[in-house]
Amino acid sequence: MNKLILVISLSLFTLYGYSGGIYKVINKGNVDKLQKFFDNGGDINKEIEFDEEFIVHPLSYAVSMEQLAIVEWFIKHKDKLDNPKHRISEAFILSISNEGNDISKLLYEQEPDINDACANCHAHNALQVAIVYGKLDWYNILKPQTDLLYLSV
């Protein structure tokens, strides 16, 4: 009986816990498993905590792992995100620091608030991240739309 309880407990932990939940699904880029996770009541808004310093929303984590199919799934289900405008804005800002330009373009099409601050980008806005990472193409797109009063030294 104790063995059965242990097996059930480990199974539940694997399904919903840190090591087997949304974190693992995003790492593998498995959209079908993400859909199952969601359909089975998994929380797509529960932030992934790696340590006290690095806590990230699953959408931003998918961006940082450059999982385009997962990002597309989140956009398709953006109405299920808590504060979707901010989540998409933050993910877009983070995407500028990555090489995945397709993800940046996809998120930009969602009309993010480029003046929003990204917690995982030292509270920078999109233009600041474009400058820091030398993304001249994004700099030229974002500069006319950026509230330059926000920028500080």
Side-chain angles (χ1 to χ4, degrees), residues 91-110:
F92 169 69
I93 296 166
L94 181 62
S95 76
I96 295 172
S97 68
N98 292 343
E99 293 302 318
N101 208 23
D102 290 340
I103 291 175
S104 297
K105 287 176 186 175
L106 177 66
L107 291 166
Y108 186 70
E109 290 170 0
Q110 305 305 307

Side-chain angles (χ1 to χ4, degrees), residues 60-75:
S60 291
Y61 183 66
V63 167
S64 69
M65 297 303 293
E66 298 186 15
Q67 293 289 353
L68 178 60
I70 299 289
V71 173
E72 290 171 334
W73 185 93
F74 273 105
I75 289 173

Side-chain angles (χ1 to χ4, degrees), residues 3-16:
K3 189 174 182 179
L4 178 62
I5 292 171
L6 178 62
V7 169
I8 291 171
S9 298
L10 287 174
S11 297
L12 289 174
F13 177 76
T14 300
L15 178 61
Y16 293 107

Side-chain angles (χ1 to χ4, degrees), residues 59 63 75 78 83-96 103-118 125-127 138 141-142 145-147:
L59 171 57
V63 167
I75 289 173
K78 66 183 170 187
N83 196 354
K85 183 75 169 179
H86 171 69
R87 294 299 181 193
I88 288 173
S89 299
E90 188 172 57
F92 169 69
I93 296 166
L94 181 62
S95 76
I96 295 172
I103 291 175
S104 297
K105 287 176 186 175
L106 177 66
L107 291 166
Y108 186 70
E109 290 170 0
Q110 305 305 307
E111 299 180 1
D113 178 358
I114 62 168
N115 294 304
D116 201 347
C118 175
N125 68 14
L127 184 66
W138 281 111
I141 293 168
L142 299 170
Q145 306 169 54
T146 302
D147 179 1

Side-chain angles (χ1 to χ4, degrees), residues 15-32:
L15 178 61
Y16 293 107
Y18 167 78
S19 66
I22 199 165
Y23 160 81
K24 217 175 207 180
V25 170
I26 291 170
N27 278 344
K28 294 184 183 217
N30 191 324
V31 175
D32 292 335

